Amino acid sequence: AHGLEQPPHSFAILAGNPQLLQQEGWREIQEAVAEVRPRIVVFDTLAQVTIGVKENDGAEMSRVVGRLDMIRRQIADQGKAGTVLTIGHTGKDETRGMRGHSSLKGRADYEIMVTRTGETIKTTVTKLNCAPEPPPRSYRLENGILISLGETAPDISDRSARAHDWLVAQGGTGTTGDAAKALGAKWDSLRRQW
């Protein structure tokens, strides 16, 4: 929520860094999800809510992924399609993808690599379970609003491209209050179209 001046009514920020694998932090996250009843929960970054967890250890990261899945199911139990979005960073070698154990990508439904060169933000879907992977897309921030510069390839469904744009927008690109309103309107529009 960097730069978010006033969150829209449907947006909540949980202060601090409650830890996924510590009892108190886990309880705090579950209570917040029960109270807010979100459609999407974003951990920015995953490393901030897993302090002390060995990110390359398969057993420890499987516990983390298990907790993320429990949050998704908790949202679904509230009668909503639940999404848990984690933001991570690449290691020194960006071609190897996100840091951490392979179970993170293995259990994910989608993964989007976001890179920035100058004012251009490029997104590349590296994993997408629900549709064909769309081609890379480019964006720029203009007055706090994410503007798409890319074109969708003709063989990729429009629904896949819209989902990609929405997921990227939800990924926390430093949006402002105006951008958050635009994202809310875009989500409402997508819901009607689907």
Side-chain angles (χ1 to χ4, degrees):
H2 301 287
L4 194 61
E5 296 164 8
Q6 182 174 356
H9 70 279
S10 60
F11 188 89
I13 299 171
L14 187 58
N17 297 318
Q19 300 300 298
L20 281 169
L21 297 184
Q22 294 177 0
Q23 187 173 354
E24 183 179 328
W26 176 238
R27 187 181 70 251
E28 186 178 347
I29 292 167
Q30 288 183 301
E31 288 173 357
V33 170
E35 180 182 334
V36 175
R37 301 178 57 86
R39 292 174 189 233
I40 183 170
V41 174
V42 179
F43 291 101
D44 182 7
T45 65
L46 183 59
Q48 290 296 314
V49 294
T50 57
I51 294 173
V53 174
K54 296 176 185 156
E55 64 184 13
N56 292 316
D57 184 286
E60 288 195 26
M61 291 314 291
S62 288
R63 289 180 54 222
V64 169
V65 171
R67 289 277 170 102
L68 297 172
D69 195 47
M70 289 171 73
I71 295 167
R72 185 195 54 76
R73 287 195 313 267
Q74 182 181 356
I75 297 168
D77 288 346
Q78 297 171 350
K80 299 179 178 183
T83 298
V84 176
L85 177 66
T86 61
I87 298 173
H89 295 281
T90 61
K92 292 176 184 173
D93 181 358
E94 288 185 5
T95 64
R96 296 184 64 188
M98 190 170 78
R99 290 181 0 203
H101 193 265
S102 61
S103 62
L104 290 171
K105 184 172 184 171
R107 296 267 304 271
D109 291 324
Y110 58 87
E111 181 184 62
I112 302 171
M113 170 76 82
V114 180
T115 55
R116 183 174 183 166
T117 305
E119 295 299 313
T120 301
I121 300 165
K122 179 181 175 188
T123 62
T124 305
V125 176
T126 56
K127 179 180 181 180
L128 183 62
N129 287 348
C130 64
E133 292 176 5
R137 297 178 65 90
S138 295
Y139 303 84
R140 75 173 184 280
L141 280 175
E142 187 174 293
N143 297 321
I145 297 175
L146 197 61
I147 306 294
S148 177
L149 304 175
E151 295 285 330
T152 304
D155 62 332
I156 300 296
S157 73
D158 189 44
R159 178 177 173 170
S160 175
R162 288 192 315 260
H164 175 249
D165 286 348
W166 182 81
L167 291 170
V168 168
Q170 297 302 312
T173 57
T175 59
T176 66
D178 289 339
K181 290 176 195 169
L183 295 178
K186 183 167 189 161
W187 171 244
D188 288 342
S189 171
L190 289 175
R191 256 192 326 200
R192 287 190 300 272
Q193 293 174 28
W194 289 0

